[in-house]
Amino acid sequence: MSTSDQSSPEPEHTSAARERAEAGTASETPKTEQAPAAAAAPASKPAKPVYKDRVYRSPAGLTGGVLLLGLMAWLGGDAVASGEGRTPWLALASMLVAVPLVVAFSVRPAVFANDDRLRVRNPFRVVELPWASVVSLRSGYTNEVIDTSGAKYQLWAIPVSLRGRKKAARHQAREERRAAKGENRAEYGGGSVGRAAPAGRPMRAETDQVMADLRELCEARAKALGSQGEPSARWAWEVVGPVVAGAVLLLVLIAIG
């Protein structure tokens, strides 16, 4: 009896597994193609934080200026209200000259410092100095800033205090003597061993410390991209104008008197 050769059919579970494998391969192909495109997209950089200006003023100047303005308002107001003849006009002209001057030399001066520049607001001028244009910040009998052109600008808002310097020097000498005594007790022994004061920043007057902080900021930011540029200065016409107008009015009143 002869047998006929017949091909056996493929099992159903084998064909189903093959179809799933082919479907998985097809689904993975687009993911592989999209991966380089996603990697090529540049990552977003965080925005650089913006810091507010550090503002330096003279507390003594502010206090004195406010007191002077109050006194002038009291005396000038009384002269205007109860004066006779040319007295009210003379009082008004005098106040027009004196008030801007008091404001200019006491309330107005300020120093603004940020990561990019130093802005100096003096009685009659406003100076902007990018840190790259600052050559030195010098402290002597006055505090000054010098730019690349050699121009010097006084920092009216940071006055030098000789009394503060003497006080800081006495305090520094006292700390050094205390540290030396502690070292001597530790060297020769005794009932209680003294401890020397930790070494740190030298004691300075307040305005000298401010100048030291500005120097550190200048050295740290002088080469930054945002600190480049040329210095600029402008006159404070909002102060000069009223003073000139008041002086002219006062001279006219005196001349026709």
Side-chain angles (χ1 to χ4, degrees), residues 14-234:
T14 305
S15 61
R18 183 179 300 174
E19 291 177 357
R20 287 197 298 270
E22 292 176 355
T25 305
S27 63
E28 289 178 358
T29 303
K31 292 183 180 180
T32 307
E33 294 176 354
Q34 293 175 359
S44 59
K45 296 182 180 179
K48 182 181 178 181
V50 178
Y51 299 98
K52 293 183 178 180
D53 291 350
R54 307 176 192 177
V55 184
Y56 303 97
R57 293 176 180 270
S58 172
L62 287 172
T63 303
V66 170
L67 292 177
L68 277 176
L69 290 174
L71 180 62
M72 292 170 59
W74 174 38
L75 296 177
D78 182 68
V80 172
S82 60
E84 298 179 356
R86 294 184 308 146
T87 302
W89 294 103
L90 288 172
L92 285 174
S94 300
M95 291 176 64
L96 190 58
V97 174
V99 169
L101 289 176
V102 172
V103 171
F105 284 96
S106 60
V107 180
R108 176 181 169 80
V111 172
F112 305 88
N114 58 27
D115 288 345
D116 295 334
R117 64 191 62 239
L118 179 73
R119 184 160 66 95
V120 182
R121 194 171 69 188
N122 280 341
F124 300 113
R125 284 200 296 180
V126 178
V127 183
E128 290 192 3
L129 299 159
W131 288 121
S133 66
V134 175
V135 174
S136 67
L137 289 150
R138 188 169 59 188
S139 295
Y141 290 104
T142 59
N143 290 318
E144 299 172 339
V145 57
I146 304 174
D147 65 9
T148 51
S149 65
K152 293 187 294 184
Y153 305 101
Q154 185 175 346
L155 305 181
W156 284 81
I158 310 177
V160 170
S161 174
L162 297 179
R163 181 180 179 183
R165 285 180 177 176
K166 291 179 181 179
K167 183 178 179 180
R170 289 195 299 268
H171 181 81
Q172 184 71 21
R174 189 161 54 246
E175 291 296 326
E176 290 176 356
R177 289 196 299 268
R178 187 178 302 171
K181 289 180 181 178
E183 292 175 359
N184 291 335
R185 286 198 296 269
E187 181 179 355
Y188 293 106
S192 60
V193 179
R195 182 179 296 177
R201 302 177 70 175
M203 184 67 182
R204 293 189 179 101
E206 183 178 359
T207 55
D208 290 340
Q209 184 60 53
V210 169
M211 293 297 290
D213 294 341
L214 291 177
R215 291 189 194 99
E216 292 178 1
L217 183 59
C218 179
E219 292 174 359
R221 298 292 302 172
K223 296 182 179 179
L225 183 61
S227 302
Q228 308 303 313
E230 296 295 328
S232 63
R234 68 172 181 85

